[in-house]
Amino acid sequence: MLAFGKTPRDLNVPGESELKGGRGVSYCAVCDGPPLYRGKEVILVGHGDHALQAALYLSGVASGVTVVQRPNTVRGATRSCSRPSSPGTMSASGQGARSGA
């Protein structure tokens, strides 16, 4: 799962293009979350509120959500950083970041 805020961007990693189109890489948590990720572990690559909101949504669908961000800290509005109310788990990381959600 990829979520890059308002403007989706590719990571340009090997195999990415082959996994688009309902095969694993998506840019819309609400559109694709339930059919593609229900009960699965999800890695969400993104930044800020949009990524955190997608992660919170997916925590109610997926068995676990890991958020990966480039900055050293996970950033987002306080309201986006609240604990998920679902049984799914969340974790967050960045380059040298503190882990946790």
Side-chain angles (χ1 to χ4, degrees):
M1 164 57 85
L2 306 175
F4 289 95
K6 292 181 181 180
T7 307
R9 292 182 289 176
D10 292 338
L11 289 174
N12 297 315
V13 296
E16 179 179 7
S17 60
E18 292 81 12
L19 293 175
K20 290 182 183 177
R23 293 183 297 252
V25 172
S26 173
Y27 301 99
C28 180
V30 175
C31 307
D32 299 326
L36 291 179
Y37 306 113
R38 184 171 305 285
K40 297 180 181 176
E41 292 286 327
V42 175
I43 296 175
L44 191 143
V45 180
H47 182 72
D49 288 337
H50 288 88
L52 292 175
Q53 289 168 359
L56 287 172
Y57 172 78
L58 287 170
S59 71
V61 173
S63 62
V65 178
T66 300
V67 178
V68 179
Q69 296 188 343
R70 276 201 244 190
N72 288 338
T73 59
V74 176
R75 293 191 288 180
T78 303
R79 67 182 180 280
S80 297
C81 297
S82 62
R83 279 242 177 256
S85 58
S86 72
T89 60
M90 286 180 53
S91 63
S93 65
Q95 295 175 346
R98 293 167 278 168
S99 293

Coordinates of all heavy atoms in Angstrom, one line a residue:
M1 N 0.9 -1.2 0.0 CA 0.0 0.0 0.0 C 0.9 1.2 0.0 O 1.8 1.3 0.8 CB -0.9 0.0 1.3 CG -1.5 1.3 1.6 SD -2.6 2.0 0.3 CE -4.1 1.1 0.7
L2 N 0.6 2.1 -0.8 CA 1.3 3.4 -0.9 C 0.3 4.6 -0.7 O -0.7 4.6 -1.3 CB 2.0 3.6 -2.2 CG 3.0 2.5 -2.6 CD1 3.5 2.8 -4.0 CD2 4.1 2.3 -1.7
A3 N 0.7 5.5 0.2 CA -0.2 6.7 0.4 C 0.7 7.9 0.5 O 1.4 8.0 1.5 CB -1.1 6.5 1.6
F4 N 0.8 8.7 -0.4 CA 1.7 9.9 -0.4 C 1.0 11.2 -0.3 O 1.4 12.2 -0.8 CB 2.5 9.9 -1.7 CG 3.5 8.8 -1.8 CD1 3.2 7.6 -2.5 CD2 4.7 8.9 -1.2 CE1 4.1 6.6 -2.5 CE2 5.6 7.9 -1.3 CZ 5.3 6.7 -1.9
G5 N -0.1 11.2 0.5 CA -0.8 12.5 0.7 C -1.7 12.8 -0.5 O -2.2 11.9 -1.1
K6 N -1.7 14.1 -0.8 CA -2.6 14.5 -1.9 C -2.2 14.0 -3.3 O -3.0 13.8 -4.1 CB -2.7 16.0 -1.9 CG -3.4 16.6 -0.7 CD -3.5 18.1 -0.8 CE -4.1 18.7 0.4 NZ -4.2 20.1 0.4
T7 N -0.9 13.9 -3.5 CA -0.4 13.5 -4.8 C 0.3 12.2 -4.8 O 1.4 12.1 -4.2 CB 0.6 14.6 -5.4 OG1 -0.1 15.9 -5.3 CG2 1.0 14.3 -6.8
P8 N -0.3 11.1 -5.3 CA 0.4 9.8 -5.3 C 1.7 9.9 -6.1 O 1.7 10.5 -7.2 CB -0.6 8.9 -5.9 CG -1.9 9.6 -5.9 CD -1.6 11.1 -5.9
R9 N 2.7 9.2 -5.6 CA 4.0 9.1 -6.4 C 4.5 7.7 -6.3 O 4.2 7.0 -5.3 CB 5.0 10.1 -5.8 CG 4.7 11.5 -6.0 CD 5.7 12.4 -5.4 NE 5.7 12.3 -4.0 CZ 6.5 12.9 -3.1 NH1 7.5 13.6 -3.6 NH2 6.4 12.8 -1.8
D10 N 5.2 7.3 -7.3 CA 5.8 6.0 -7.2 C 7.1 6.0 -6.4 O 7.7 7.0 -6.3 CB 6.2 5.5 -8.7 CG 4.9 5.2 -9.5 OD1 3.9 5.0 -8.9 OD2 5.1 5.3 -10.7
L11 N 7.4 4.8 -5.8 CA 8.7 4.7 -5.1 C 9.8 4.4 -6.0 O 11.0 4.5 -5.7 CB 8.6 3.6 -4.1 CG 7.7 3.9 -2.9 CD1 7.6 2.7 -2.0 CD2 8.3 5.0 -2.1
N12 N 9.5 3.9 -7.2 CA 10.5 3.5 -8.2 C 11.4 2.4 -7.6 O 12.6 2.4 -7.7 CB 11.4 4.7 -8.7 CG 10.5 5.7 -9.4 OD1 9.7 5.3 -10.3 ND2 10.7 6.9 -9.1
V13 N 10.8 1.4 -7.1 CA 11.5 0.2 -6.6 C 11.2 -1.0 -7.5 O 10.1 -1.1 -8.1 CB 11.1 -0.1 -5.1 CG1 11.5 1.0 -4.2 CG2 9.6 -0.4 -5.0
P14 N 12.1 -2.0 -7.5 CA 11.9 -3.1 -8.4 C 10.5 -3.9 -8.0 O 10.2 -4.1 -6.9 CB 13.1 -4.0 -8.1 CG 14.1 -3.1 -7.5 CD 13.4 -2.0 -6.8
G15 N 9.8 -4.2 -9.1 CA 8.5 -4.9 -8.9 C 7.3 -4.1 -8.6 O 6.2 -4.6 -8.7
E16 N 7.5 -2.8 -8.4 CA 6.4 -1.9 -8.1 C 5.3 -1.9 -9.2 O 4.1 -2.0 -8.9 CB 6.9 -0.5 -7.8 CG 5.8 0.5 -7.4 CD 6.4 1.9 -7.1 OE1 7.6 2.1 -7.3 OE2 5.6 2.7 -6.7
S17 N 5.7 -1.7 -10.4 CA 4.8 -1.5 -11.5 C 4.0 -2.8 -11.7 O 2.8 -2.8 -12.1 CB 5.5 -1.1 -12.8 OG 6.4 -2.0 -13.2
E18 N 4.6 -4.0 -11.5 CA 3.9 -5.2 -11.6 C 2.8 -5.5 -10.6 O 1.9 -6.3 -10.8 CB 4.9 -6.4 -11.6 CG 5.8 -6.5 -12.8 CD 7.0 -5.5 -12.7 OE1 7.3 -5.0 -11.6 OE2 7.7 -5.4 -13.7
L19 N 2.9 -4.7 -9.5 CA 2.0 -4.9 -8.4 C 0.8 -3.9 -8.4 O 0.0 -3.9 -7.5 CB 2.7 -4.9 -7.0 CG 3.6 -6.1 -6.8 CD1 4.4 -5.9 -5.5 CD2 2.9 -7.4 -6.8
K20 N 0.8 -3.0 -9.4 CA -0.3 -2.0 -9.5 C -1.5 -2.7 -10.1 O -1.4 -3.8 -10.6 CB 0.1 -0.9 -10.3 CG 1.2 0.0 -9.7 CD 1.5 1.2 -10.6 CE 2.6 2.0 -9.9 NZ 3.0 3.1 -10.8
G21 N -2.7 -2.0 -10.0 CA -3.9 -2.6 -10.6 C -4.5 -3.7 -9.8 O -4.9 -4.7 -10.4
G22 N -4.6 -3.5 -8.5 CA -5.3 -4.5 -7.7 C -4.4 -5.7 -7.3 O -4.9 -6.7 -6.8
R23 N -3.1 -5.6 -7.5 CA -2.2 -6.8 -7.2 C -1.3 -6.5 -6.0 O -0.4 -7.2 -5.7 CB -1.4 -7.1 -8.4 CG -2.2 -7.7 -9.5 CD -1.4 -8.1 -10.7 NE -0.7 -7.0 -11.2 CZ -1.0 -6.4 -12.4 NH1 -2.0 -6.9 -13.1 NH2 -0.3 -5.4 -12.9
G24 N -1.6 -5.4 -5.2 CA -0.9 -5.2 -4.0 C -0.5 -3.7 -3.8 O -0.4 -3.3 -2.6
V25 N -0.2 -2.9 -4.8 CA 0.2 -1.5 -4.6 C -1.1 -0.7 -4.9 O -1.7 -0.9 -6.0 CB 1.3 -1.1 -5.6 CG1 1.5 0.4 -5.5 CG2 2.6 -1.9 -5.2
S26 N -1.4 0.2 -4.0 CA -2.6 1.0 -4.2 C -2.3 2.4 -3.6 O -1.4 2.6 -2.9 CB -3.7 0.4 -3.3 OG -4.9 1.2 -3.3
Y27 N -3.1 3.3 -4.1 CA -3.0 4.7 -3.6 C -4.2 5.2 -2.9 O -4.3 6.4 -2.5 CB -2.7 5.6 -4.8 CG -1.5 5.3 -5.5 CD1 -1.5 4.5 -6.7 CD2 -0.2 5.6 -5.1 CE1 -0.3 4.1 -7.4 CE2 0.9 5.3 -5.7 CZ 0.9 4.5 -6.9 OH 2.0 4.2 -7.5
C28 N -5.2 4.3 -2.7 CA -6.5 4.7 -2.0 C -6.9 3.7 -1.0 O -7.3 2.6 -1.3 CB -7.6 4.9 -3.1 SG -9.2 5.4 -2.3
A29 N -6.7 4.1 0.3 CA -7.0 3.2 1.4 C -8.5 2.8 1.4 O -8.9 1.7 1.6 CB -6.6 3.8 2.7
V30 N -9.4 3.8 1.2 CA -10.8 3.6 1.3 C -11.3 2.8 0.1 O -12.1 1.9 0.3 CB -11.5 5.0 1.4 CG1 -13.0 4.8 1.3 CG2 -11.1 5.7 2.6
C31 N -10.8 3.1 -1.1 CA -11.2 2.3 -2.3 C -10.8 0.9 -2.3 O -11.5 0.0 -2.6 CB -10.7 3.0 -3.5 SG -11.0 4.7 -3.7
D32 N -9.5 0.7 -1.9 CA -8.9 -0.6 -2.1 C -8.6 -1.4 -0.8 O -8.4 -2.6 -0.8 CB -7.5 -0.5 -2.8 CG -7.7 0.1 -4.2 OD1 -8.7 -0.2 -4.8 OD2 -6.8 0.9 -4.6
G33 N -8.7 -0.7 0.3 CA -8.4 -1.3 1.6 C -9.2 -2.6 1.9 O -8.6 -3.7 2.1
P34 N -10.5 -2.5 1.9 CA -11.3 -3.8 2.3 C -11.1 -4.9 1.3 O -10.8 -6.0 1.8 CB -12.8 -3.3 2.3 CG -12.7 -1.8 2.6 CD -11.4 -1.4 1.9
P35 N -11.1 -4.7 0.0 CA -11.0 -5.9 -0.9 C -9.5 -6.4 -0.9 O -9.3 -7.6 -1.1 CB -11.4 -5.4 -2.2 CG -11.3 -4.0 -2.2 CD -11.5 -3.5 -0.8
L36 N -8.5 -5.6 -0.8 CA -7.2 -6.0 -1.0 C -6.5 -6.4 0.3 O -5.6 -7.2 0.3 CB -6.3 -4.9 -1.7 CG -6.6 -4.7 -3.2 CD1 -5.7 -3.5 -3.7 CD2 -6.4 -5.9 -4.0
Y37 N -6.8 -5.7 1.4 CA -6.0 -5.8 2.6 C -6.7 -6.4 3.8 O -6.1 -6.4 4.9 CB -5.4 -4.4 2.9 CG -4.6 -3.9 1.7 CD1 -5.1 -2.8 1.1 CD2 -3.5 -4.5 1.2 CE1 -4.4 -2.3 0.0 CE2 -2.8 -4.0 0.1 CZ -3.3 -2.9 -0.5 OH -2.6 -2.4 -1.6
R38 N -7.9 -6.8 3.7 CA -8.7 -7.3 4.9 C -7.9 -8.5 5.5 O -7.6 -9.4 4.8 CB -10.1 -7.7 4.5 CG -10.9 -8.2 5.7 CD -12.3 -8.4 5.4 NE -13.0 -7.3 4.8 CZ -13.4 -6.2 5.5 NH1 -13.1 -6.0 6.8 NH2 -14.0 -5.2 4.8
G39 N -7.6 -8.3 6.8 CA -6.9 -9.4 7.5 C -5.4 -9.6 7.2 O -4.8 -10.5 7.7
K40 N -4.8 -8.7 6.4 CA -3.4 -8.8 6.1 C -2.6 -7.8 6.8 O -3.1 -6.7 7.2 CB -3.3 -8.7 4.6 CG -4.0 -9.7 3.8 CD -3.8 -9.6 2.3 CE -4.6 -10.6 1.5 NZ -4.5 -10.4 0.1
E41 N -1.3 -8.0 6.8 CA -0.3 -7.0 7.3 C -0.1 -6.0 6.1 O 0.1 -6.4 5.0 CB 1.0 -7.7 7.6 CG 0.9 -8.6 8.9 CD 0.8 -7.8 10.2 OE1 1.4 -6.7 10.2 OE2 0.2 -8.3 11.1
V42 N -0.1 -4.7 6.4 CA 0.0 -3.7 5.4 C 1.2 -2.8 5.8 O 1.4 -2.4 6.9 CB -1.3 -2.8 5.4 CG1 -1.2 -1.6 4.4 CG2 -2.5 -3.7 5.0
I43 N 1.9 -2.4 4.8 CA 3.0 -1.4 4.9 C 2.5 -0.2 4.1 O 2.2 -0.3 2.9 CB 4.3 -1.9 4.4 CG1 4.8 -3.1 5.2 CG2 5.4 -0.7 4.4 CD1 6.1 -3.7 4.8
L44 N 2.4 0.9 4.8 CA 1.9 2.1 4.2 C 3.1 3.1 4.2 O 3.7 3.4 5.2 CB 0.8 2.7 5.0 CG 0.0 3.8 4.4 CD1 -1.5 3.7 4.7 CD2 0.5 5.2 4.9
V45 N 3.4 3.6 3.0 CA 4.5 4.5 2.8 C 3.9 5.9 2.5 O 3.1 6.0 1.6 CB 5.5 4.1 1.6 CG1 6.6 5.2 1.5 CG2 6.0 2.8 1.9
G46 N 4.2 6.9 3.4 CA 3.6 8.2 3.2 C 4.1 9.2 4.2 O 5.0 8.9 5.0
H47 N 3.4 10.3 4.3 CA 3.9 11.4 5.1 C 2.7 12.2 5.6 O 1.8 12.5 4.8 CB 4.9 12.3 4.3 CG 5.5 13.4 5.1 ND1 6.4 13.2 6.1 CD2 5.2 14.7 5.0 CE1 6.7 14.4 6.6 NE2 6.0 15.3 6.0
G48 N 2.8 12.6 6.8 CA 1.8 13.6 7.4 C 0.4 13.0 7.6 O 0.2 11.8 7.7
D49 N -0.5 14.0 7.7 CA -1.9 13.6 8.0 C -2.5 12.6 7.1 O -3.2 11.7 7.5 CB -2.8 14.9 8.1 CG -2.5 15.7 9.3 OD1 -1.9 15.2 10.3 OD2 -2.8 16.9 9.2
H50 N -2.3 12.8 5.8 CA -3.0 11.8 4.8 C -2.6 10.4 5.1 O -3.4 9.5 5.1 CB -2.7 12.3 3.4 CG -3.4 13.5 3.0 ND1 -2.9 14.7 3.2 CD2 -4.6 13.7 2.4 CE1 -3.8 15.6 2.7 NE2 -4.8 15.0 2.3
A51 N -1.3 10.2 5.3 CA -0.8 8.8 5.5 C -1.3 8.3 6.9 O -1.7 7.2 7.0 CB 0.7 8.8 5.5
L52 N -1.3 9.2 7.9 CA -1.8 8.7 9.2 C -3.3 8.4 9.2 O -3.7 7.5 9.8 CB -1.4 9.8 10.3 CG 0.1 9.9 10.6 CD1 0.3 11.0 11.5 CD2 0.7 8.6 11.1
Q53 N -4.0 9.2 8.5 CA -5.5 9.0 8.4 C -5.7 7.7 7.6 O -6.6 6.9 8.0 CB -6.2 10.1 7.7 CG -6.3 11.4 8.6 CD -6.7 12.6 7.9 OE1 -6.9 12.6 6.7 NE2 -6.8 13.7 8.6
A54 N -5.0 7.4 6.6 CA -5.1 6.1 5.9 C -4.7 5.0 6.8 O -5.4 3.9 6.8 CB -4.2 6.1 4.6
A55 N -3.7 5.1 7.6 CA -3.3 4.1 8.5 C -4.3 3.8 9.5 O -4.6 2.6 9.9 CB -2.0 4.5 9.2
L56 N -4.9 4.9 10.1 CA -6.0 4.7 11.1 C -7.2 3.9 10.4 O -7.8 3.0 11.0 CB -6.5 6.0 11.6 CG -5.5 6.6 12.6 CD1 -5.9 8.1 13.0 CD2 -5.3 5.8 13.9
Y57 N -7.6 4.3 9.2 CA -8.6 3.6 8.5 C -8.3 2.2 8.3 O -9.1 1.3 8.6 CB -9.0 4.3 7.2 CG -9.9 3.5 6.4 CD1 -11.3 3.5 6.7 CD2 -9.5 2.7 5.3 CE1 -12.2 2.8 5.9 CE2 -10.4 1.9 4.6 CZ -11.7 2.0 4.9 OH -12.6 1.2 4.2
L58 N -7.1 1.9 7.8 CA -6.7 0.5 7.5 C -6.5 -0.3 8.7 O -6.7 -1.5 8.7 CB -5.4 0.5 6.7 CG -5.5 1.0 5.3 CD1 -4.2 1.2 4.6 CD2 -6.3 0.0 4.5
S59 N -6.3 0.3 9.9 CA -6.2 -0.5 11.1 C -7.5 -1.2 11.5 O -7.5 -2.2 12.2 CB -5.7 0.4 12.3 OG -6.8 1.3 12.7
G60 N -8.6 -0.7 10.9 CA -9.9 -1.4 11.1 C -10.2 -2.4 10.1 O -11.1 -3.2 10.2
V61 N -9.3 -2.6 9.1 CA -9.5 -3.5 8.0 C -8.4 -4.6 8.1 O -8.6 -5.8 8.0 CB -9.5 -2.8 6.6 CG1 -9.5 -3.8 5.5 CG2 -10.6 -1.8 6.5
A62 N -7.1 -4.1 8.2 CA -6.0 -5.0 8.1 C -5.7 -5.6 9.5 O -6.1 -5.1 10.5 CB -4.8 -4.2 7.6
S63 N -4.9 -6.7 9.5 CA -4.5 -7.3 10.8 C -3.4 -6.4 11.5 O -3.2 -6.5 12.7 CB -4.0 -8.7 10.7 OG -2.9 -8.8 9.8
G64 N -2.7 -5.6 10.7 CA -1.6 -4.8 11.2 C -1.2 -3.8 10.2 O -1.3 -4.0 9.0
V65 N -0.8 -2.6 10.6 CA -0.4 -1.5 9.7 C 0.9 -1.0 10.2 O 1.1 -0.6 11.3 CB -1.4 -0.4 9.6 CG1 -1.0 0.8 8.7 CG2 -2.8 -0.9 9.2
T66 N 1.9 -0.9 9.3 CA 3.2 -0.3 9.6 C 3.3 0.9 8.7 O 3.2 0.8 7.5 CB 4.4 -1.3 9.3 OG1 4.2 -2.4 10.1 CG2 5.7 -0.6 9.6
V67 N 3.5 2.1 9.3 CA 3.7 3.3 8.5 C 5.2 3.6 8.4 O 5.9 3.6 9.4 CB 3.0 4.5 9.2 CG1 3.2 5.8 8.5 CG2 1.5 4.2 9.4
V68 N 5.7 3.9 7.2 CA 7.1 4.2 7.0 C 7.1 5.6 6.4 O 6.5 5.9 5.4 CB 7.7 3.2 6.0 CG1 9.1 3.6 5.7 CG2 7.6 1.8 6.5
Q69 N 7.9 6.5 7.0 CA 8.1 7.8 6.6 C 9.5 8.1 6.5 O 10.3 7.6 7.3 CB 7.4 8.8 7.6 CG 5.9 8.7 7.6 CD 5.3 9.8 8.5 OE1 5.9 10.4 9.2 NE2 4.0 9.9 8.3
R70 N 9.9 9.0 5.6 CA 11.3 9.4 5.4 C 11.9 10.3 6.5 O 13.0 10.1 6.9 CB 11.5 10.1 4.1 CG 11.7 9.1 3.0 CD 12.3 9.8 1.8 NE 11.4 9.8 0.7 CZ 11.8 10.2 -0.5 NH1 13.0 10.6 -0.7 NH2 11.0 10.2 -1.5
P71 N 11.2 11.2 7.0 CA 11.8 12.1 8.0 C 12.1 11.3 9.3 O 11.6 10.1 9.4 CB 10.7 13.1 8.4 CG 9.8 13.1 7.2 CD 9.9 11.7 6.6
N72 N 12.9 11.9 10.2 CA 13.3 11.2 11.4 C 12.2 11.0 12.4 O 12.3 10.3 13.4 CB 14.5 11.9 12.0 CG 15.7 11.7 11.2 OD1 15.9 10.8 10.5 ND2 16.7 12.6 11.4
T73 N 11.1 11.7 12.2 CA 10.0 11.5 13.1 C 8.7 11.4 12.3 O 8.6 11.9 11.2 CB 9.8 12.7 14.1 OG1 9.6 13.9 13.3 CG2 11.0 12.9 15.0
V74 N 7.7 10.7 12.9 CA 6.4 10.6 12.3 C 5.7 11.9 12.6 O 5.6 12.3 13.8 CB 5.6 9.4 12.9 CG1 4.2 9.3 12.4 CG2 6.4 8.1 12.7
R75 N 5.2 12.5 11.5 CA 4.6 13.8 11.7 C 3.1 13.8 11.3 O 2.8 13.1 10.3 CB 5.3 14.9 10.9 CG 6.7 15.2 11.4 CD 7.3 16.4 10.8 NE 7.6 16.1 9.4 CZ 8.2 17.0 8.6 NH1 8.4 18.2 9.0 NH2 8.5 16.7 7.4
G76 N 2.3 14.5 12.0 CA 0.8 14.6 11.6 C 0.2 15.4 12.8 O 0.7 15.5 13.9
A77 N -1.1 15.8 12.5 CA -1.8 16.6 13.5 C -2.1 15.6 14.7 O -2.3 14.4 14.5 CB -3.1 17.1 12.9
T78 N -2.2 16.1 15.8 CA -2.5 15.3 17.0 C -3.7 14.5 16.9 O -3.7 13.3 17.2 CB -2.7 16.3 18.3 OG1 -1.5 17.1 18.4 CG2 -2.9 15.4 19.5
R79 N -4.7 15.0 16.2 CA -6.0 14.2 16.1 C -5.7 13.0 15.2 O -6.4 12.0 15.2 CB -7.1 15.1 15.5 CG -6.9 15.5 14.1 CD -8.0 16.4 13.7 NE -7.8 16.9 12.3 CZ -7.0 17.9 11.9 NH1 -6.3 18.5 12.9 NH2 -6.9 18.2 10.7
S80 N -4.7 13.0 14.3 CA -4.4 11.9 13.4 C -3.6 10.9 14.1 O -3.4 9.8 13.6 CB -3.7 12.4 12.2 OG -4.5 13.2 11.4
C81 N -3.0 11.2 15.3 CA -2.1 10.3 15.9 C -2.7 9.5 17.1 O -2.0 8.9 17.9 CB -0.9 11.1 16.5 SG 0.1 11.9 15.2
S82 N -4.1 9.6 17.2 CA -4.7 8.8 18.2 C -4.7 7.3 18.0 O -4.5 6.9 16.9 CB -6.2 9.3 18.4 OG -6.9 9.0 17.2
R83 N -4.8 6.6 19.1 CA -4.8 5.1 19.0 C -6.0 4.6 18.2 O -7.1 5.1 18.3 CB -4.9 4.6 20.4 CG -3.6 4.6 21.1 CD -3.3 3.1 21.5 NE -2.0 3.0 22.1 CZ -0.9 2.6 21.5 NH1 -0.9 2.3 20.3 NH2 0.2 2.6 22.2
P84 N -5.7 3.6 17.4 CA -6.9 3.0 16.6 C -7.8 2.3 17.6 O -7.4 1.8 18.6 CB -6.2 2.0 15.7 CG -4.9 1.7 16.3 CD -4.5 3.0 17.1
S85 N -9.1 2.3 17.3 CA -10.1 1.7 18.2 C -10.4 0.3 17.7 O -11.4 -0.3 18.2 CB -11.4 2.5 18.2 OG -11.9 2.6 16.9
S86 N -9.6 -0.3 16.8 CA -9.9 -1.6 16.3 C -8.9 -2.6 16.9 O -7.9 -2.2 17.5 CB -9.7 -1.6 14.8 OG -8.4 -1.5 14.4
P87 N -9.1 -3.9 16.6 CA -8.1 -4.9 17.1 C -6.8 -4.9 16.3 O -5.9 -5.5 16.7 CB -8.9 -6.2 16.9 CG -9.9 -5.9 15.9 CD -10.3 -4.5 16.0
G88 N -6.8 -4.3 15.1 CA -5.5 -4.3 14.4 C -4.4 -3.5 15.1 O -4.7 -2.7 16.0
T89 N -3.2 -3.7 14.7 CA -2.1 -3.0 15.3 C -1.5 -2.0 14.4 O -1.6 -2.1 13.2 CB -1.0 -4.0 15.8 OG1 -0.5 -4.7 14.6 CG2 -1.5 -5.0 16.8
M90 N -0.8 -1.0 14.9 CA -0.1 0.0 14.1 C 1.3 0.2 14.7 O 1.5 0.1 15.9 CB -0.8 1.3 14.1 CG -2.1 1.3 13.3 SD -2.9 2.9 13.3 CE -1.6 4.0 12.9
S91 N 2.2 0.5 13.8 CA 3.6 0.9 14.2 C 4.0 1.9 13.2 O 3.5 2.0 12.1 CB 4.5 -0.3 14.3 OG 4.7 -0.9 13.0
A92 N 5.0 2.7 13.5 CA 5.5 3.7 12.6 C 7.0 3.8 12.7 O 7.5 3.6 13.8 CB 4.8 5.1 13.0
S93 N 7.6 4.2 11.6 CA 9.0 4.3 11.6 C 9.4 5.3 10.5 O 8.7 5.6 9.6 CB 9.7 3.0 11.4 OG 9.4 2.5 10.1
G94 N 10.6 5.8 10.7 CA 11.3 6.7 9.7 C 12.7 6.4 9.7 O 13.2 5.6 10.5
Q95 N 13.5 7.1 9.0 CA 15.0 6.9 9.0 C 15.5 7.3 10.4 O 15.5 8.5 10.7 CB 15.6 7.6 7.9 CG 15.3 7.2 6.5 CD 15.9 8.1 5.4 OE1 16.3 9.2 5.7 NE2 15.8 7.6 4.2
G96 N 15.8 6.3 11.2 CA 16.3 6.7 12.5 C 15.2 7.1 13.5 O 15.5 7.7 14.5
A97 N 14.0 6.8 13.1 CA 12.8 7.3 13.9 C 12.6 6.4 15.2 O 13.0 5.3 15.2 CB 11.6 7.3 13.1
R98 N 11.9 7.0 16.1 CA 11.4 6.3 17.2 C 10.2 5.5 16.7 O 9.4 6.0 16.0 CB 11.0 7.3 18.3 CG 12.1 8.0 18.9 CD 11.6 9.1 19.8 NE 11.3 10.3 18.8 CZ 10.7 11.3 19.1 NH1 10.2 11.5 20.3 NH2 10.5 12.3 18.3
S99 N 10.1 4.2 17.1 CA 9.0 3.4 16.7 C 7.8 3.6 17.7 O 8.1 3.8 18.9 CB 9.4 1.9 16.6 OG 10.3 1.8 15.5
G100 N 6.6 3.3 17.3 CA 5.4 3.3 18.1 C 4.3 4.0 17.4 O 4.5 4.5 16.3
A101 N 3.1 3.9 17.9 CA 2.0 4.5 17.3 C 1.0 5.1 18.3 O 1.1 4.7 19.4 CB 1.3 3.6 16.4

